[in-house]
Amino acid sequence: MNVLKIATAGSVDDGKSTLIGRILYDTKSLTEDKLQEIENKSKQRGFDYLDFSLATDGLVAEREQGITIDVAHIYFSTNNTSFIIADTPGHVEYTRNMVTGASTSQASIILIDARNGVVEQTYRHFFINNLLRVKNIVVAVNKMDLVDYSEEKFNSIKNEILALAEKSDYQNQNIHFVPISALHGDNVVINSNNINWYNGKSLLDYLENIEVNDQENAQARFPVQIVIRPKTEEYHDYRGYAGKLYGGDLSVGDDVIILPSETTSKVKTIEFFDSEFSTAKSGSSITLTLEDDVNISRGDMIVKNGEQPHITKQLKATICWMDKTPLQASNKYYIKHGINDAQAKITSLTSLIHTDFSGKEENPKELALNEIGEISLKVSKPLFVDSYKNNKANGAFILIDAKTNHTVGVGFIK
């Protein structure tokens, strides 16, 4: 079964939580007690319909205010696909939550209220999905029932989003548009007779048919998490290297180079528990053994010979700031890149990026909470990095405040 990770984004009252609740209801993914709770609370509030937002808004404040505040992960399955939905907040003060939710997603649903059309927050949602290189975007134009299922209104929103996409530096996105009514279920799971001018797939049907390919042509990166030396009689000379494979695939017989020592060897075996495989796919947690007895420690990286990443102590990156204390040039932090960490100093704050695609503010004094900008930084030891656009896993990092131990920023290497 395919596994698809989806992030949602929408402005306040666009109906995001209702949409997710509707999907869970129509796919029969709600338990009987949860469904009964929704029915009872909907009646208590005087609604003559089921308030599906109650299925997802878990915090008391979320239910009271009718908005999504924190990232919630919702799980459900159809016959073909297992879905993980990151229900992210849409308001500007929760930009960091949106970035967190979208960072591991392979698809994104951007919800737009058909009455309001494209608004400021829509620009931000689209910008974040471009920044994070989310390949598959579904623009769900919701509340079509409140605009009399107007094809003209739908096409106006569609053309505005397509014009916005022209401004993006990420031109490989698949953008699909679906007119829906989450409240009534139009085009959510099944196609609606109310929108007979729309000949495309329902929202769920489109999601089920997305081909999951996190990153095309990415190169294999295997950071070593632990060296396995049983030192038992049966495995006296065994030396394995355990970790998770990112980017591309690795196969038995591949010529590899170990960083930072730059020693070379060949992949001897690829193991998982008590099984061996000829090839490991990206995302696999495996143990490698090599033909040669080489010196490898935790934090080293095994890559294919000829496909080395950049080894550097100087980084340029786009960063989303997540802390109440602003980022300023010359500030010092700890950088966490994969399983490696080092001390880091911000050498320059190059720009503040406007998330409405209107441009940049050059050389700002600081980056405040939820703002996105471009920085340069210097680290205390060499890191093995790729640009984020070429390898998401090896092109991202977080910054940590040593005093508070808070994660203060997430960066994407250029």
Side-chain angles (χ1 to χ4, degrees):
M1 181 178 288
N2 293 326
V3 177
L4 183 68
K5 300 175 184 176
I6 308 167
T8 61
S11 302
V12 175
D13 292 331
D14 277 356
K16 190 159 44 65
S17 296
T18 300
L19 171 62
I20 297 172
R22 166 61 72 175
I23 292 174
L24 297 176
Y25 179 77
D26 284 355
T27 57
K28 297 179 171 39
S29 301
L30 292 172
T31 59
E32 286 295 328
D33 59 333
K34 187 65 175 179
L35 185 57
Q36 189 63 52
E37 179 188 0
I38 293 172
E39 290 176 350
N40 293 339
K41 289 189 176 180
S42 296
K43 289 178 181 178
Q44 290 173 10
R45 296 181 177 185
F47 299 153
D48 58 357
Y49 56 85
L50 294 180
D51 182 4
F52 290 117
S53 67
L54 295 169
T56 59
D57 287 338
L59 299 178
V60 172
E62 291 178 328
R63 293 195 297 268
E64 289 176 347
Q65 299 178 46
I67 63 172
T68 302
I69 296 173
D70 200 6
V71 178
H73 288 88
I74 297 100
Y75 305 82
F76 75 99
S77 298
T78 62
N79 291 333
N80 304 318
T81 308
S82 179
F83 295 94
I84 304 173
I85 299 180
D87 183 20
T88 66
H91 209 268
V92 59
E93 64 257 41
Y94 303 121
T95 297
R96 56 181 176 175
N97 304 67
M98 280 188 279
V99 171
T100 301
S103 63
T104 58
S105 298
Q106 298 137 335
S108 182
I109 301 172
I110 298 178
L111 214 63
I112 298 176
D113 188 325
R115 300 169 301 172
N116 301 327
V118 176
V119 297
E120 179 187 353
Q121 292 185 51
T122 310
Y123 289 105
R124 185 180 305 105
H125 302 153
F126 196 77
F127 178 88
I128 289 172
N129 280 286
N130 279 267
L131 174 66
L132 296 174
R133 293 301 195 261
V134 179
K135 187 174 181 62
N136 299 285
I137 304 292
V138 185
V139 179
V141 183
N142 192 25
K143 303 189 180 182
M144 289 296 296
D145 54 306
L146 300 182
V147 294
D148 296 324
Y149 300 102
S150 168
E151 182 179 7
E152 181 181 356
K153 185 67 175 177
F154 174 76
N155 286 334
S156 174
I157 293 171
K158 178 179 178 179
N159 291 334
E160 197 167 347
I161 291 294
L162 290 176
L164 190 62
E166 290 295 322
K167 300 179 181 179
S168 169
D169 64 351
Y170 180 39
Q171 295 295 316
N172 293 325
Q173 277 180 326
N174 300 320
I175 305 176
H176 188 73
F177 297 85
V178 186
I180 68 168
S181 170
L183 184 62
H184 300 292
D186 295 301
N187 284 343
V188 177
V189 172
I190 58 175
N191 287 87
S192 169
N193 293 327
N194 294 320
I195 317 178
N196 51 23
W197 46 263
Y198 173 74
N199 298 316
K201 298 176 180 178
S202 69
L203 177 63
L204 183 63
D205 191 20
Y206 177 77
L207 294 174
E208 279 192 298
N209 286 279
I210 288 177
E211 292 186 11
V212 178
N213 188 351
D214 281 345
Q215 214 157 359
E216 300 172 10
N217 304 318
Q219 297 174 332
R221 303 290 183 247
F222 186 75
V224 176
Q225 293 187 19
I226 188 171
V227 179
I228 300 176
R229 292 296 310 277
K231 296 183 179 180
T232 62
E233 195 63 39
E234 184 179 1
Y235 298 100
H236 189 273
D237 295 319
Y238 183 91
R239 186 189 294 267
Y241 310 102
K244 187 172 183 178
L245 178 63
Y246 299 97
D249 302 340
L250 270 180
S251 299
V252 172
D254 280 345
D255 292 313
V256 295
I257 184 167
I258 296 90
L259 302 174
S261 65
E262 297 189 348
T263 53
T264 59
S265 187
K266 285 181 180 289
V267 177
K268 182 179 180 181
T269 63
I270 299 172
E271 303 171 1
F272 182 75
F273 284 108
D274 56 353
S275 300
E276 292 191 11
F277 299 89
S278 58
T279 298
K281 298 292 184 182
S282 176
S284 302
S285 295
I286 53 174
T287 298
L288 298 180
T289 65
L290 303 180
E291 295 282 359
D292 304 286
D293 188 10
V294 294
N295 183 21
I296 300 178
S297 304
R298 172 182 166 83
D300 290 355
M301 181 177 285
I302 300 174
V303 301
K304 290 182 182 178
N305 207 341
E307 296 185 359
Q308 291 93 316
H310 301 292
I311 304 176
T312 182
K313 295 172 70 175
Q314 306 275 350
L315 299 176
K316 291 185 177 181
T318 304
I319 193 163
C320 175
W321 197 243
M322 298 180 164
D323 197 58
K324 293 179 180 178
T325 303
L327 176 147
Q328 295 177 333
S330 78
N331 284 6
K332 295 181 180 179
Y333 303 96
Y334 277 102
I335 185 172
K336 183 77 172 174
H337 174 256
I339 61 173
N340 279 313
D341 53 60
Q343 291 180 320
K345 180 181 180 180
I346 308 298
T347 54
S348 67
L349 175 52
T350 310
S351 67
L352 166 66
I353 302 175
H354 300 300
T355 57
D356 59 358
F357 292 90
S358 63
K360 305 174 183 178
E361 177 187 331
E362 302 297 333
N363 302 313
K365 292 183 179 180
E366 61 184 26
L367 274 188
L369 174 66
N370 289 311
E371 289 186 332
I372 296 174
E374 295 173 316
I375 62 170
S376 296
L377 65 161
K378 185 176 182 179
V379 295
S380 59
K381 69 178 184 181
L383 299 177
F384 323 124
V385 304
D386 294 284
S387 66
Y388 184 77
K389 68 179 182 179
N390 290 332
N391 194 309
K392 287 186 177 182
N394 202 45
F397 63 85
I398 61 172
L399 292 180
I400 300 168
D401 188 322
K403 296 179 181 177
T404 63
N405 209 32
H406 290 167
T407 298
V408 295
V410 55
F412 311 98
I413 299 169
K414 293 185 175 183

